[in-house]
Amino acid sequence: VAHLLWIGHLPTAAELAEFQKKLEANRNLPKSVVDVLRLLPPDTLPMDALRTGLSALGAIEQTAFAEAPDLDQAIAIAARFPAILADFFRLRAGKEPVTPKPGHNTAQSYLWQLLGTEPEERHWKPLETYLVLLADHGMNASTFTARVIASTQSDLVSALTGGVGALKGPLHGGAPSKVLDMLNEIGTADNVDNWLTQALDRGDRLMGFGHRVYKAEDPRAEILREMARTASDPDFFALSKTTEDRTLALLNERKPGRRLYTNVEFYSAAVLAAVGLPGDMFTPTFAVARSVGWSAHVLEQVSNNRLIRPQSQFVGPHDKKFVPIDQR
Ligand code: ACO
């Protein structure tokens, strides 16, 4: 799918093998990048570690990313996203990074680099589907950020580092760990209505619902729901489903006409938990998937570039006079 997004068609077997070779060659991080990650406090948010690791990579491998963004850079950085996260994940637990293994696909390699054990198919398969589903999604906030940065003729690492910053926020990619927190706080099916009513009375937004573009169910949510049904713990799935059903009913009652439906983040939580990832690795794993879409957009932007510079209208007073500091 990365090949499709970057080049425009699904790869032949030979093209896939070539791609795989290039990805594998980039899965080991330069030692100085690992050293930067080593310096971060263990309670650093993994999204902050990813942003820092990328930035360090851009500085340390300056020459590799100095030219205008191209396909080789996109491949290199797609392999670096999981490596940065996995190495940080191990370092914060007092463990050393593991050496990537040849022959792994991206999902297998990410789990191997995180956990240091051979990933089971029941874990890497759903993760692979998740990575495909979230690889790209039009002109969302983080993709727009990456394109704006690329449009200034800045470098690919800067563009993707900006994308990570935009994805981190809970109104965009930061929701799934909050979905897990919500489900853990709700705890049992008989507490669902009580918890949701209190949250809505406080004016809270319910994570995993609503979308700027979709005014119907996000089609990705449907696929993730079915994956969660088979991959996750049955009790956890039942609680998720009851919470989803009651949330939709309550939002419909409280916000009539707003057309609020389940978005991609709600069942991402159940799927990623079933894969064995802790909640604080959910948004970073979203970033692993989206890194491909971001760089595809950057390549498209630079292929026919024009500076993206929106206009804004100043609405403040126009007649202010400068007053020297000793007269204020
Ligand atoms: N829970 C409760 N109320 C909501 C929610 C929600 N999840 N989403 C929207 N609303 C309400 C708003 O309060 C608003 O009500 P009002 O008109 O009475 O003031 C109305 O619905 C419209 O909301 P907007 O903010 O105009 O909708 P917008 O398109 O800006 O928001 C967003 C989209 C940010 C995703 C929103 O639905 C939200 O905050 N959802 C929760 C966070 C979330 O799940 N984020 C992940 C998004 S998916 C992604 O980025 C990959």
Side-chain angles (χ1 to χ4, degrees):
V1 168
H3 194 281
L4 173 67
L5 291 173
W6 288 331
I7 299 175
H9 63 268
L10 286 170
T12 61
E15 285 169 332
L16 187 61
E18 185 61 25
F19 237 55
Q20 174 77 9
K21 221 165 71 193
K22 287 187 177 171
L23 279 170
E24 284 182 10
N26 283 286
R27 281 186 180 144
N28 254 329
L29 289 184
K31 185 182 167 301
S32 344
V33 176
V34 178
D35 288 343
V36 169
L37 296 175
R38 216 180 272 285
L39 289 173
L40 297 175
D43 61 353
T44 302
L45 294 174
M47 278 302 267
D48 292 345
L50 175 61
R51 199 191 54 224
T52 305
L54 280 172
S55 206
L57 181 77
I60 291 159
E61 291 203 324
Q62 236 179 83
T63 48
F65 296 101
E67 301 297 319
D70 62 21
L71 183 62
D72 281 339
Q73 293 179 29
I75 296 173
I77 208 155
R80 295 301 166 76
F81 264 69
I84 291 170
L85 286 165
D87 287 3
F88 171 71
F89 181 80
R90 294 185 67 80
L91 290 167
R92 76 173 178 180
K95 298 176 185 161
E96 281 304 301
V98 291
T99 309
K101 233 175 156 179
H104 277 159
N105 63 29
T106 297
Q108 287 170 312
S109 183
Y110 182 38
L111 290 175
W112 165 259
Q113 283 185 271
L114 280 164
L115 308 170
T117 52
E118 192 57 43
E120 294 177 45
E121 189 169 334
R122 69 188 175 99
H123 290 145
W124 70 258
K125 269 275 185 199
L127 178 62
E128 186 178 49
T129 307
Y130 171 88
L131 295 177
V132 168
L133 268 179
L134 279 92
D136 188 44
H137 199 235
M139 196 61 80
N140 55 81
S142 55
T143 301
F144 180 63
T145 305
R147 278 188 92 126
V148 169
I149 295 173
S151 84
T152 70
Q153 292 186 349
S154 184
D155 58 288
L156 182 64
V157 176
S158 297
L160 269 54
T161 306
V164 168
L167 188 72
K168 183 183 169 192
L171 299 192
H172 188 12
S177 62
K178 296 188 188 301
V179 171
L180 189 65
D181 295 343
M182 170 173 84
L183 292 168
N184 285 335
E185 276 176 38
I186 291 174
T188 52
D190 56 5
N191 190 32
V192 169
D193 265 41
N194 181 34
W195 194 97
L196 293 175
T197 307
Q198 284 185 19
L200 288 171
D201 286 348
R202 282 195 305 269
D204 291 356
R205 288 193 172 214
L206 301 171
M207 294 293 132
F209 298 90
H211 197 274
R212 175 59 62 84
V213 176
Y214 291 123
K215 299 301 170 195
E217 182 175 90
D218 185 329
R220 298 166 298 177
E222 198 182 330
I223 297 169
L224 289 163
R225 184 189 298 107
E226 290 319 304
M227 283 166 63
R229 197 189 296 279
T230 47
S232 51
D233 168 69
D235 290 342
F236 188 72
F237 179 76
L239 180 65
S240 305
K241 186 72 179 71
T242 308
T243 304
E244 179 192 24
D245 293 344
R246 291 304 302 146
T247 302
L248 293 176
L250 287 169
L251 285 175
N252 192 33
E253 256 169 46
R254 302 240 183 162
K255 305 271 175 185
R258 304 297 197 288
R259 294 190 291 156
L260 299 169
Y261 294 94
T262 315
N263 66 40
V264 67
E265 306 280 34
F266 188 74
Y267 282 104
S268 288
V271 168
L272 294 177
V275 161
L277 298 178
D280 68 353
M281 293 301 285
F282 291 178
T283 303
T285 304
F286 186 172
V288 169
R290 191 51 60 82
S291 66
V292 171
W294 288 334
S295 50
H297 276 266
V298 166
L299 295 182
E300 184 180 75
Q301 182 67 35
V302 302
S303 71
N304 184 17
N305 188 46
R306 186 146 192 249
L307 179 72
I308 299 173
R309 204 308 189 181
Q311 295 282 9
S312 63
Q313 194 182 355
F314 179 68
V315 294
H318 284 260
D319 54 355
K320 293 273 228 185
K321 295 276 176 290
F322 177 75
V323 182
I325 194 156
D326 56 352
Q327 293 168 33
R328 282 177 217 160

